[in-house]
Amino acid sequence: MKRSELRHKIQNSSLGFLAGYVDTLGFVALFGLFTAHVTGNFVLIGAEMAHPQGGPLLLKILAFPAFIFGVVIARLMIAALLKYHLHALWYAYILQLALLIAFMVAGIKASPIAAEPTLMAEIAGIIGAMAMGTHSACGRLLLSHLAPTAMMTGNVTQLVIDAVDVMRGAADDMVKQRCIKFLWPVVAFAIGAVGAAFAYQFAGFYALLLPIVILLYLMYIERGAMHKTQNMPKIVARQ
């Protein structure tokens, strides 16, 4: 396996784990808020409006524009970076890292979370939605060659279709490779989701240190790819 292929698999699995982890932690900690799954919030908003139970409706409504704002920030930043031929993925990781740290700090300040959302808890939810908005945008704009890491419905659908074709003997090598490509992010997302639910019970918002460390690791391996890319023109010039 080539080093670049290994890096892509690590990126895909790590970002899938991160998305499942952060989304679940936000759901468990912040009154059923989905930070990455926007359509899930629409479902909860509709249910709350039809059967009002005094839940945190405003927080779920505010999460939608916050997610969009995260996408807008990521799009404008990446467009500017690509215009000047800078390594956009490295800076995209920095943006996600900064927002995840802010999410953790706001969540810690809001703790212990009461039965009703406080202003700080709402701020934490808004920042978390922004963080996952940037995550989704960066995946679409810079990692489109990988399987999506935040939205698993399409991944599971494609994975099942390909798995059925493999089992009935109608799959070529491309389908088999695609099956593996979609498998690992789905598994990683599921592990992240389960892990976050338990981690929050034991560590509260400090549990966000794990996805923060994952982003730092991804930045580290991306830094190596940056140096390799920068050194290639010099090697070619010497030849």
Side-chain angles (χ1 to χ4, degrees):
M1 181 184 296
K2 295 181 180 179
R3 184 172 296 182
S4 59
E5 293 178 356
L6 178 61
R7 178 165 59 90
H8 291 160
K9 289 187 176 181
I10 292 173
Q11 286 174 328
N12 218 184
S13 299
S14 298
L15 291 172
F17 178 92
L18 185 152
Y21 190 100
V22 175
D23 204 21
T24 302
L25 190 142
F27 183 87
V28 172
L30 296 172
F31 317 98
L33 173 70
F34 289 109
T35 54
H37 189 43
V38 176
T39 52
N41 287 327
F42 286 157
V43 172
L44 295 174
I45 289 170
E48 178 63 27
M49 291 178 69
H51 301 283
Q53 298 177 354
L57 181 61
L58 178 61
L59 177 58
K60 294 182 176 67
I61 293 174
L62 291 176
F64 179 63
F67 186 93
I68 291 176
F69 189 60
V71 174
V72 170
I73 291 174
R75 180 63 183 122
L76 293 176
M77 185 192 78
I78 290 170
L81 291 167
L82 293 177
K83 180 180 179 180
Y84 293 101
H85 306 289
L86 297 174
H87 199 90
L89 185 55
W90 163 260
Y91 294 98
Y93 284 150
I94 292 177
L95 176 61
Q96 292 181 58
L97 179 66
L99 287 171
L100 272 185
I101 292 173
F103 181 29
M104 182 181 71
V105 171
I108 291 170
K109 287 181 178 274
S111 301
I113 303 296
E116 293 293 328
T118 61
L119 176 61
M120 189 54 67
E122 290 181 344
I123 291 173
I126 289 170
I127 296 173
M130 286 177 57
M132 297 315 294
T134 62
H135 175 97
S136 296
C138 293
R140 287 293 185 95
L141 294 169
L142 300 174
L143 297 170
S144 59
H145 55 290
L146 304 180
T149 55
M151 302 300 294
M152 288 297 120
T153 304
N155 287 3
V156 172
T157 302
Q158 188 63 60
L159 178 60
V160 172
I161 291 172
D162 290 343
V164 170
D165 287 344
V166 169
M167 287 186 291
R168 69 188 185 92
D172 55 18
D173 289 339
M174 185 180 71
V175 172
K176 292 177 181 178
Q177 291 173 5
R178 187 172 61 204
C179 190
I180 296 172
K181 172 184 174 180
F182 280 89
L183 173 64
W184 290 114
V186 171
V187 172
F189 187 97
I191 294 172
V194 174
F198 287 99
Y200 180 75
Q201 288 184 351
F202 290 103
F205 278 92
Y206 284 104
L208 285 170
L209 285 170
L210 179 55
I212 287 171
V213 169
I214 288 173
L215 273 177
L216 288 171
Y217 174 69
L218 290 175
M219 289 171 62
Y220 170 75
I221 63 175
E222 197 62 30
R223 191 72 175 177
M226 287 171 62
H227 288 158
K228 183 177 179 180
T229 302
Q230 291 170 355
N231 291 332
M232 282 182 66
K234 297 179 182 179
I235 295 174
V236 172
R238 288 173 185 171
Q239 292 176 346

